[in-house]
Amino acid sequence: MARVVVDAQAARAIGKGAMIVFKKGVVRVEGEIKPGDIVEVYTRGGKFLGKGFANPHSNIMVRIVTKEKDVEINKDLFRKRIRKANEYRKKVLRYTNVYRMVYGEADYLPGLIVDRFNDIASLQISSAGMERFKLDVAEAIMEVEPEIETVFEKNTGRSRRREGLPEIERVLLGKEKYRTIIEEGRAKFIVDMRGQKTGFFLDQRENRLALEKWVRPGDRVLDVFTYTGGFAIHAAIAGAEEIIAIDKSPRAIETAKENAKLNGVEDRVKFIVGSAFEEMEKLQKRGEKFDIVILDPPAFVQHEKDLKAGLRAYFNVNFAGLNLVKDGGILVTCSCSQHVDLQMFKDMIIAAGAKAGKFLKMLEPYRTQAPDHPILMASKDTEYLKCLFLYVENMR
């Protein structure tokens, strides 16, 4: 088995619980490595640190699966890890049939994400090594949770391309089923496996539910980057009189319209297919104002090198959003870019508020992803979602 020798900084990070070895932390490679190979990781002094999946062509050189030398990486190990992850969601968090079942290295299964939607599991793999075991993983999911009848392979996106993996979207195991209806508090949503990501953004669940307590009967609400209407539907259920929801994806908006009808709020939600920046500019030119503005954009920063441009994009969208909030209104603003930490995000919104002539007060403690997307304290990469509820006042 090939060896990867790492520097002192990488060794310390692994010792504290990190599960990823970046290429910059590698001192040398002993032996030949192909994408997906299992390798052992050592310090310069020859101390064993762990073993896992390697990809010499990726910025992430090794994804550590186990720190025990005698543990085999096989289906039995995956079954045990998936069972443990599932028990955490069901016993500790008390989720029942809709939740993130596996969240990568936070569940010691790097490169694997599994979302459960009733009897469908959506599987997403971003590691060449985990790709080799995907059928074993699918079988383990159905063994651990027998109510799951379909494992859908949602293997698309940038992370796959970066690993040199093909994009695949299909039923991997079980019944040919693509859609289901889930419940989230008082709301219901259609989940289509052929939509974005793993079918639905479960990470914002607690933040969508939190929105309801700030909505007053008769409010006007703007939901930008609505996708399938998550925040918009909750706002309507809480009593908002008029909601405008914007997304550039016609397919997402079609599902959002179905969701509005499913919840009996289609008469109060207006959906617009279009660019967020262009549509917000149109609203501002018409002098529109809203009691609540929600900004939940895609990750504007995919790589560290994109940080400056991405922060500018966040600034621009928040500046536009602040200009659409009434004096005494609320801005709910989010970022799902892992490279933008909380302080960067706060600095950005402070700057946007200053330029817009607004005082901003926190209504809620700093919010992040739902707890079924656990944050591994030793792994900064597992903490990515930031959400701020802000009271907006005009500077006088």
Side-chain angles (χ1 to χ4, degrees):
M1 186 179 296
R3 292 186 173 200
V4 172
V5 179
V6 299
D7 62 21
Q9 185 176 347
R12 282 194 298 271
I14 295 167
K16 290 177 181 178
M19 304 291 285
I20 285 175
V21 176
F22 291 98
K23 188 172 283 186
K24 64 182 179 182
V26 175
V27 176
R28 66 178 181 274
V29 175
E30 298 175 357
E32 186 181 347
I33 297 177
K34 299 187 297 294
D37 282 355
I38 296 172
V39 300
E40 293 182 341
V41 181
Y42 287 85
T43 65
R44 278 192 177 104
K47 181 184 176 183
F48 175 81
L49 295 172
K51 61 182 174 181
F53 301 128
N55 190 340
H57 307 313
S58 171
N59 184 45
I60 298 174
M61 186 75 165
V62 185
R63 298 174 189 266
I64 294 175
V65 178
T66 178
K67 296 182 180 180
E68 298 179 51
K69 193 169 185 178
D70 59 346
V71 169
E72 292 295 321
I73 298 175
N74 54 26
K75 181 183 176 180
D76 184 54
L77 177 64
F78 296 141
R79 187 191 300 109
K80 288 176 182 175
R81 296 271 174 90
I82 291 168
R83 188 180 303 281
K84 188 175 181 180
N86 194 51
E87 286 176 354
Y88 172 70
R89 274 73 174 177
K90 301 196 84 172
K91 291 183 179 179
V92 178
L93 302 178
R94 299 185 182 180
Y95 289 126
T96 53
N97 59 341
V98 179
Y99 52 89
R100 173 148 290 184
M101 192 173 179
V102 174
Y103 178 42
E105 61 261 31
D107 290 303
Y108 317 109
L109 289 163
L112 175 65
I113 287 174
V114 182
D115 282 348
R116 180 184 177 181
F117 303 104
N118 299 325
D119 57 356
I120 302 175
S122 178
L123 178 150
Q124 194 171 42
I125 288 173
S126 58
S127 154
M130 194 65 75
E131 178 79 3
R132 295 184 175 187
F133 292 92
K134 67 182 178 184
L135 191 56
D136 288 337
V137 167
E139 289 173 352
I141 289 167
M142 296 181 83
E143 288 169 19
V144 166
E145 199 57 67
E147 291 179 5
I148 293 174
E149 298 180 343
T150 301
V151 177
F152 190 88
E153 180 181 3
K154 186 71 178 177
N155 282 328
T156 58
R158 293 185 186 93
S159 58
R160 295 277 296 183
R161 294 193 290 273
R162 284 198 296 266
E163 284 281 306
L165 297 171
E167 296 192 69
I168 307 168
E169 197 170 308
R170 64 176 180 179
V171 171
L172 179 61
L173 194 65
K175 295 182 179 179
E176 287 283 331
K177 186 174 181 180
Y178 304 95
R179 282 164 66 101
T180 188
I181 294 174
I182 65 170
E183 294 183 3
E184 185 176 89
R186 294 181 288 170
K188 294 180 181 179
F189 294 101
I190 295 163
V191 177
D192 191 327
M193 295 300 107
R194 295 159 293 188
Q196 290 180 18
K197 297 294 182 182
T198 56
F200 189 76
F201 293 105
L202 291 173
D203 53 1
Q204 285 280 25
R205 174 179 45 219
E206 308 302 327
N207 301 328
R208 287 189 291 260
L209 292 168
L211 173 70
E212 291 194 22
K213 70 182 177 184
W214 299 108
V215 177
R216 297 156 297 188
D219 274 356
R220 293 191 80 217
V221 176
L222 175 65
D223 180 16
V224 187
F225 311 99
T226 191
Y227 186 43
T228 56
F231 280 105
I233 300 298
H234 279 283
I237 286 172
E241 182 63 30
E242 180 190 0
I243 303 102
I244 295 176
I246 301 167
D247 200 277
K248 69 177 182 180
S249 167
R251 185 169 182 172
I253 289 295
E254 284 306 308
T255 304
K257 288 177 179 178
E258 289 184 74
N259 285 332
K261 191 171 183 180
L262 180 66
N263 288 277
V265 298
E266 68 271 25
D267 58 326
R268 287 184 283 133
V269 188
K270 178 186 177 183
F271 292 103
I272 297 172
V273 176
S275 160
F277 291 97
E278 290 174 8
E279 295 301 328
M280 291 170 81
E281 187 178 358
K282 290 177 188 176
L283 291 168
Q284 191 174 345
K285 285 180 177 177
R286 294 202 300 265
E288 302 268 14
K289 292 288 183 180
F290 297 86
D291 298 284
I292 300 175
V293 172
I294 302 144
L295 306 174
D296 184 20
F300 287 148
V301 183
Q302 292 289 337
H303 306 278
E304 253 182 300
K305 64 180 176 63
D306 302 327
L307 193 56
K308 186 176 180 180
L311 283 170
R312 172 58 57 179
Y314 281 118
F315 176 90
N316 289 339
V317 77
N318 278 273
F319 176 70
L322 284 165
N323 282 313
L324 291 166
V325 181
K326 288 180 181 178
D327 184 21
I330 295 170
L331 176 73
V332 180
T333 182
C334 312
S335 166
C336 60
S337 298
Q338 70 181 50
H339 297 292
V340 177
D341 64 25
L342 177 59
Q343 192 57 54
M344 290 179 194
F345 190 59
K346 288 169 73 174
D347 289 344
M348 175 280 301
I349 192 66
I350 290 167
K355 184 176 180 182
K358 309 288 183 180
F359 286 121
L360 306 175
K361 299 176 181 177
M362 285 185 67
L363 287 172
E364 292 262 351
Y366 158 58
R367 302 186 68 89
T368 183
Q369 63 243 38
D372 55 346
H373 298 58
I375 296 169
L376 192 63
M377 295 302 291
S379 178
K380 185 180 178 181
D381 294 336
T382 59
E383 182 177 7
Y384 66 95
L385 184 62
K386 295 150 288 288
C387 180
L388 296 173
F389 281 63
L390 302 170
Y391 182 74
V392 181
E393 291 179 303
N394 293 337
M395 290 181 178
R396 294 185 178 88

